[in-house]
PDB file of all heavy atoms in Angstrom:
ATOM      1  N   GLU A 975      -8.030   3.299 -21.393  1.00  0.00           N
ATOM      2  CA  GLU A 975      -8.770   4.313 -20.640  1.00  0.00           C
ATOM      3  C   GLU A 975      -8.014   4.775 -19.397  1.00  0.00           C
ATOM      4  O   GLU A 975      -8.415   5.758 -18.756  1.00  0.00           O
ATOM      5  CB  GLU A 975     -10.138   3.764 -20.213  1.00  0.00           C
ATOM      6  CG  GLU A 975     -11.060   3.453 -21.372  1.00  0.00           C
ATOM      7  CD  GLU A 975     -12.317   2.723 -20.942  1.00  0.00           C
ATOM      8  OE1 GLU A 975     -12.242   1.931 -19.980  1.00  0.00           O
ATOM      9  OE2 GLU A 975     -13.370   2.935 -21.578  1.00  0.00           O
ATOM     10  N   LEU A 976      -6.934   4.101 -19.060  1.00  0.00           N
ATOM     11  CA  LEU A 976      -6.198   4.431 -17.842  1.00  0.00           C
ATOM     12  C   LEU A 976      -5.658   5.861 -17.845  1.00  0.00           C
ATOM     13  O   LEU A 976      -5.755   6.557 -16.818  1.00  0.00           O
ATOM     14  CB  LEU A 976      -5.063   3.423 -17.641  1.00  0.00           C
ATOM     15  CG  LEU A 976      -4.285   3.534 -16.330  1.00  0.00           C
ATOM     16  CD1 LEU A 976      -5.226   3.389 -15.132  1.00  0.00           C
ATOM     17  CD2 LEU A 976      -3.192   2.474 -16.278  1.00  0.00           C
ATOM     18  N   PRO A 977      -5.102   6.374 -18.949  1.00  0.00           N
ATOM     19  CA  PRO A 977      -4.644   7.778 -18.931  1.00  0.00           C
ATOM     20  C   PRO A 977      -5.767   8.766 -18.646  1.00  0.00           C
ATOM     21  O   PRO A 977      -5.521   9.816 -18.028  1.00  0.00           O
ATOM     22  CB  PRO A 977      -4.066   7.975 -20.345  1.00  0.00           C
ATOM     23  CG  PRO A 977      -3.707   6.612 -20.804  1.00  0.00           C
ATOM     24  CD  PRO A 977      -4.731   5.700 -20.211  1.00  0.00           C
ATOM     25  N   ILE A 978      -6.984   8.455 -19.091  1.00  0.00           N
ATOM     26  CA  ILE A 978      -8.116   9.348 -18.811  1.00  0.00           C
ATOM     27  C   ILE A 978      -8.371   9.399 -17.309  1.00  0.00           C
ATOM     28  O   ILE A 978      -8.616  10.476 -16.732  1.00  0.00           O
ATOM     29  CB  ILE A 978      -9.378   8.873 -19.565  1.00  0.00           C
ATOM     30  CG1 ILE A 978      -9.119   8.830 -21.070  1.00  0.00           C
ATOM     31  CG2 ILE A 978     -10.572   9.759 -19.253  1.00  0.00           C
ATOM     32  CD1 ILE A 978     -10.277   8.251 -21.865  1.00  0.00           C
ATOM     33  N   ILE A 979      -8.320   8.228 -16.653  1.00  0.00           N
ATOM     34  CA  ILE A 979      -8.566   8.170 -15.214  1.00  0.00           C
ATOM     35  C   ILE A 979      -7.507   8.963 -14.462  1.00  0.00           C
ATOM     36  O   ILE A 979      -7.818   9.763 -13.553  1.00  0.00           O
ATOM     37  CB  ILE A 979      -8.576   6.705 -14.727  1.00  0.00           C
ATOM     38  CG1 ILE A 979      -9.647   5.895 -15.471  1.00  0.00           C
ATOM     39  CG2 ILE A 979      -8.793   6.644 -13.222  1.00  0.00           C
ATOM     40  CD1 ILE A 979     -11.048   6.369 -15.240  1.00  0.00           C
ATOM     41  N   THR A 980      -6.250   8.778 -14.794  1.00  0.00           N
ATOM     42  CA  THR A 980      -5.181   9.489 -14.081  1.00  0.00           C
ATOM     43  C   THR A 980      -5.258  10.993 -14.323  1.00  0.00           C
ATOM     44  O   THR A 980      -4.953  11.790 -13.416  1.00  0.00           O
ATOM     45  CB  THR A 980      -3.808   8.959 -14.515  1.00  0.00           C
ATOM     46  OG1 THR A 980      -3.690   9.042 -15.956  1.00  0.00           O
ATOM     47  CG2 THR A 980      -3.635   7.503 -14.092  1.00  0.00           C
ATOM     48  N   THR A 981      -5.681  11.403 -15.506  1.00  0.00           N
ATOM     49  CA  THR A 981      -5.842  12.836 -15.791  1.00  0.00           C
ATOM     50  C   THR A 981      -6.950  13.433 -14.930  1.00  0.00           C
ATOM     51  O   THR A 981      -6.801  14.528 -14.369  1.00  0.00           O
ATOM     52  CB  THR A 981      -6.155  13.058 -17.274  1.00  0.00           C
ATOM     53  OG1 THR A 981      -5.086  12.555 -18.072  1.00  0.00           O
ATOM     54  CG2 THR A 981      -6.355  14.542 -17.572  1.00  0.00           C
ATOM     55  N   ILE A 982      -8.065  12.711 -14.815  1.00  0.00           N
ATOM     56  CA  ILE A 982      -9.175  13.186 -13.980  1.00  0.00           C
ATOM     57  C   ILE A 982      -8.725  13.346 -12.538  1.00  0.00           C
ATOM     58  O   ILE A 982      -9.000  14.366 -11.885  1.00  0.00           O
ATOM     59  CB  ILE A 982     -10.367  12.206 -14.080  1.00  0.00           C
ATOM     60  CG1 ILE A 982     -10.988  12.268 -15.477  1.00  0.00           C
ATOM     61  CG2 ILE A 982     -11.414  12.517 -13.014  1.00  0.00           C
ATOM     62  CD1 ILE A 982     -12.045  11.205 -15.711  1.00  0.00           C
ATOM     63  N   VAL A 983      -8.028  12.340 -12.018  1.00  0.00           N
ATOM     64  CA  VAL A 983      -7.582  12.396 -10.621  1.00  0.00           C
ATOM     65  C   VAL A 983      -6.616  13.557 -10.421  1.00  0.00           C
ATOM     66  O   VAL A 983      -6.706  14.298  -9.422  1.00  0.00           O
ATOM     67  CB  VAL A 983      -6.926  11.066 -10.218  1.00  0.00           C
ATOM     68  CG1 VAL A 983      -6.362  11.159  -8.804  1.00  0.00           C
ATOM     69  CG2 VAL A 983      -7.938   9.932 -10.300  1.00  0.00           C
ATOM     70  N   ARG A 984      -5.703  13.743 -11.339  1.00  0.00           N
ATOM     71  CA  ARG A 984      -4.726  14.829 -11.199  1.00  0.00           C
ATOM     72  C   ARG A 984      -5.404  16.197 -11.216  1.00  0.00           C
ATOM     73  O   ARG A 984      -5.017  17.110 -10.475  1.00  0.00           O
ATOM     74  CB  ARG A 984      -3.692  14.742 -12.329  1.00  0.00           C
ATOM     75  CG  ARG A 984      -2.568  15.764 -12.195  1.00  0.00           C
ATOM     76  CD  ARG A 984      -1.490  15.579 -13.249  1.00  0.00           C
ATOM     77  NE  ARG A 984      -2.034  15.761 -14.599  1.00  0.00           N
ATOM     78  CZ  ARG A 984      -2.202  14.771 -15.482  1.00  0.00           C
ATOM     79  NH1 ARG A 984      -1.877  13.522 -15.138  1.00  0.00           N
ATOM     80  NH2 ARG A 984      -2.674  15.017 -16.681  1.00  0.00           N
ATOM     81  N   GLU A 985      -6.434  16.340 -12.058  1.00  0.00           N
ATOM     82  CA  GLU A 985      -7.123  17.624 -12.140  1.00  0.00           C
ATOM     83  C   GLU A 985      -7.977  17.907 -10.906  1.00  0.00           C
ATOM     84  O   GLU A 985      -8.065  19.053 -10.446  1.00  0.00           O
ATOM     85  CB  GLU A 985      -8.006  17.662 -13.392  1.00  0.00           C
ATOM     86  CG  GLU A 985      -7.211  17.696 -14.697  1.00  0.00           C
ATOM     87  CD  GLU A 985      -8.118  17.630 -15.920  1.00  0.00           C
ATOM     88  OE1 GLU A 985      -9.340  17.418 -15.729  1.00  0.00           O
ATOM     89  OE2 GLU A 985      -7.621  17.803 -17.044  1.00  0.00           O
ATOM     90  N   VAL A 986      -8.613  16.872 -10.357  1.00  0.00           N
ATOM     91  CA  VAL A 986      -9.513  17.079  -9.214  1.00  0.00           C
ATOM     92  C   VAL A 986      -8.748  17.119  -7.901  1.00  0.00           C
ATOM     93  O   VAL A 986      -8.985  17.982  -7.046  1.00  0.00           O
ATOM     94  CB  VAL A 986     -10.592  15.972  -9.179  1.00  0.00           C
ATOM     95  CG1 VAL A 986     -11.484  16.120  -7.944  1.00  0.00           C
ATOM     96  CG2 VAL A 986     -11.442  16.009 -10.444  1.00  0.00           C
ATOM     97  N   ASP A 987      -7.835  16.180  -7.703  1.00  0.00           N
ATOM     98  CA  ASP A 987      -7.106  16.091  -6.435  1.00  0.00           C
ATOM     99  C   ASP A 987      -5.681  15.614  -6.700  1.00  0.00           C
ATOM    100  O   ASP A 987      -5.401  14.401  -6.704  1.00  0.00           O
ATOM    101  CB  ASP A 987      -7.827  15.132  -5.482  1.00  0.00           C
ATOM    102  CG  ASP A 987      -7.136  15.059  -4.124  1.00  0.00           C
ATOM    103  OD1 ASP A 987      -6.221  15.863  -3.874  1.00  0.00           O
ATOM    104  OD2 ASP A 987      -7.516  14.184  -3.314  1.00  0.00           O
ATOM    105  N   PRO A 988      -4.765  16.540  -6.917  1.00  0.00           N
ATOM    106  CA  PRO A 988      -3.377  16.151  -7.203  1.00  0.00           C
ATOM    107  C   PRO A 988      -2.712  15.378  -6.066  1.00  0.00           C
ATOM    108  O   PRO A 988      -1.708  14.694  -6.291  1.00  0.00           O
ATOM    109  CB  PRO A 988      -2.672  17.500  -7.422  1.00  0.00           C
ATOM    110  CG  PRO A 988      -3.769  18.469  -7.729  1.00  0.00           C
ATOM    111  CD  PRO A 988      -4.953  18.004  -6.960  1.00  0.00           C
ATOM    112  N   ALA A 989      -3.260  15.479  -4.850  1.00  0.00           N
ATOM    113  CA  ALA A 989      -2.673  14.777  -3.707  1.00  0.00           C
ATOM    114  C   ALA A 989      -3.272  13.388  -3.509  1.00  0.00           C
ATOM    115  O   ALA A 989      -2.957  12.717  -2.518  1.00  0.00           O
ATOM    116  CB  ALA A 989      -2.866  15.608  -2.436  1.00  0.00           C
ATOM    117  N   ALA A 990      -4.118  12.937  -4.424  1.00  0.00           N
ATOM    118  CA  ALA A 990      -4.763  11.629  -4.278  1.00  0.00           C
ATOM    119  C   ALA A 990      -3.739  10.507  -4.402  1.00  0.00           C
ATOM    120  O   ALA A 990      -2.660  10.674  -4.988  1.00  0.00           O
ATOM    121  CB  ALA A 990      -5.857  11.467  -5.328  1.00  0.00           C
ATOM    122  N   PHE A 991      -4.099   9.356  -3.840  1.00  0.00           N
ATOM    123  CA  PHE A 991      -3.256   8.158  -3.895  1.00  0.00           C
ATOM    124  C   PHE A 991      -3.942   7.153  -4.821  1.00  0.00           C
ATOM    125  O   PHE A 991      -5.108   6.795  -4.598  1.00  0.00           O
ATOM    126  CB  PHE A 991      -3.101   7.578  -2.490  1.00  0.00           C
ATOM    127  CG  PHE A 991      -2.030   6.531  -2.379  1.00  0.00           C
ATOM    128  CD1 PHE A 991      -0.691   6.871  -2.429  1.00  0.00           C
ATOM    129  CD2 PHE A 991      -2.366   5.195  -2.245  1.00  0.00           C
ATOM    130  CE1 PHE A 991       0.291   5.911  -2.316  1.00  0.00           C
ATOM    131  CE2 PHE A 991      -1.393   4.226  -2.141  1.00  0.00           C
ATOM    132  CZ  PHE A 991      -0.057   4.582  -2.174  1.00  0.00           C
ATOM    133  N   VAL A 992      -3.244   6.702  -5.859  1.00  0.00           N
ATOM    134  CA  VAL A 992      -3.841   5.841  -6.890  1.00  0.00           C
ATOM    135  C   VAL A 992      -3.066   4.534  -6.961  1.00  0.00           C
ATOM    136  O   VAL A 992      -1.837   4.532  -7.030  1.00  0.00           O
ATOM    137  CB  VAL A 992      -3.835   6.529  -8.276  1.00  0.00           C
ATOM    138  CG1 VAL A 992      -4.469   5.622  -9.329  1.00  0.00           C
ATOM    139  CG2 VAL A 992      -4.577   7.861  -8.211  1.00  0.00           C
ATOM    140  N   ILE A 993      -3.803   3.446  -6.957  1.00  0.00           N
ATOM    141  CA  ILE A 993      -3.213   2.111  -7.097  1.00  0.00           C
ATOM    142  C   ILE A 993      -3.806   1.473  -8.342  1.00  0.00           C
ATOM    143  O   ILE A 993      -5.034   1.403  -8.489  1.00  0.00           O
ATOM    144  CB  ILE A 993      -3.509   1.219  -5.874  1.00  0.00           C
ATOM    145  CG1 ILE A 993      -2.991   1.882  -4.601  1.00  0.00           C
ATOM    146  CG2 ILE A 993      -2.893  -0.166  -6.050  1.00  0.00           C
ATOM    147  CD1 ILE A 993      -3.405   1.160  -3.333  1.00  0.00           C
ATOM    148  N   VAL A 994      -2.957   0.993  -9.229  1.00  0.00           N
ATOM    149  CA  VAL A 994      -3.399   0.341 -10.464  1.00  0.00           C
ATOM    150  C   VAL A 994      -2.889  -1.095 -10.448  1.00  0.00           C
ATOM    151  O   VAL A 994      -1.695  -1.331 -10.266  1.00  0.00           O
ATOM    152  CB  VAL A 994      -2.877   1.072 -11.717  1.00  0.00           C
ATOM    153  CG1 VAL A 994      -3.371   0.367 -12.978  1.00  0.00           C
ATOM    154  CG2 VAL A 994      -3.317   2.531 -11.706  1.00  0.00           C
ATOM    155  N   SER A 995      -3.794  -2.050 -10.626  1.00  0.00           N
ATOM    156  CA  SER A 995      -3.410  -3.458 -10.658  1.00  0.00           C
ATOM    157  C   SER A 995      -4.007  -4.124 -11.884  1.00  0.00           C
ATOM    158  O   SER A 995      -4.994  -3.640 -12.454  1.00  0.00           O
ATOM    159  CB  SER A 995      -3.880  -4.186  -9.387  1.00  0.00           C
ATOM    160  OG  SER A 995      -5.291  -4.174  -9.302  1.00  0.00           O
ATOM    161  N   GLU A 996      -3.397  -5.226 -12.276  1.00  0.00           N
ATOM    162  CA  GLU A 996      -3.882  -5.977 -13.435  1.00  0.00           C
ATOM    163  C   GLU A 996      -5.044  -6.864 -13.022  1.00  0.00           C
ATOM    164  O   GLU A 996      -4.962  -7.586 -12.025  1.00  0.00           O
ATOM    165  CB  GLU A 996      -2.755  -6.828 -14.015  1.00  0.00           C
ATOM    166  CG  GLU A 996      -3.164  -7.616 -15.258  1.00  0.00           C
ATOM    167  CD  GLU A 996      -2.017  -8.429 -15.816  1.00  0.00           C
ATOM    168  OE1 GLU A 996      -0.886  -8.273 -15.323  1.00  0.00           O
ATOM    169  OE2 GLU A 996      -2.256  -9.217 -16.751  1.00  0.00           O
ATOM    170  N   ALA A 997      -6.129  -6.815 -13.764  1.00  0.00           N
ATOM    171  CA  ALA A 997      -7.290  -7.668 -13.516  1.00  0.00           C
ATOM    172  C   ALA A 997      -7.226  -8.851 -14.473  1.00  0.00           C
ATOM    173  O   ALA A 997      -7.147  -8.673 -15.689  1.00  0.00           O
ATOM    174  CB  ALA A 997      -8.593  -6.897 -13.727  1.00  0.00           C
ATOM    175  N   ARG A 998      -7.234 -10.057 -13.928  1.00  0.00           N
ATOM    176  CA  ARG A 998      -7.134 -11.243 -14.777  1.00  0.00           C
ATOM    177  C   ARG A 998      -8.342 -11.385 -15.693  1.00  0.00           C
ATOM    178  O   ARG A 998      -8.221 -11.762 -16.847  1.00  0.00           O
ATOM    179  CB  ARG A 998      -7.013 -12.491 -13.897  1.00  0.00           C
ATOM    180  CG  ARG A 998      -5.848 -12.472 -12.950  1.00  0.00           C
ATOM    181  CD  ARG A 998      -4.530 -12.502 -13.656  1.00  0.00           C
ATOM    182  NE  ARG A 998      -4.305 -13.750 -14.360  1.00  0.00           N
ATOM    183  CZ  ARG A 998      -3.222 -14.003 -15.091  1.00  0.00           C
ATOM    184  NH1 ARG A 998      -2.296 -13.080 -15.234  1.00  0.00           N
ATOM    185  NH2 ARG A 998      -3.079 -15.155 -15.688  1.00  0.00           N
TER     186      ARG A 998
END
């Protein structure tokens, strides 16, 4: 589902700051 999230952020706010981390 991660590509869906990044696509949404890029479409709404291309200047947003996104941090992705691994959840154990």
Side-chain angles (χ1 to χ4, degrees):
E975 295 171 327
L976 186 58
I978 301 175
I979 302 297
T980 55
T981 300
I982 291 172
V983 175
R984 185 175 62 251
E985 291 176 353
V986 176
D987 183 9
F991 192 72
V992 180
I993 303 172
V994 181
S995 63
E996 182 179 353
R998 302 294 294 178

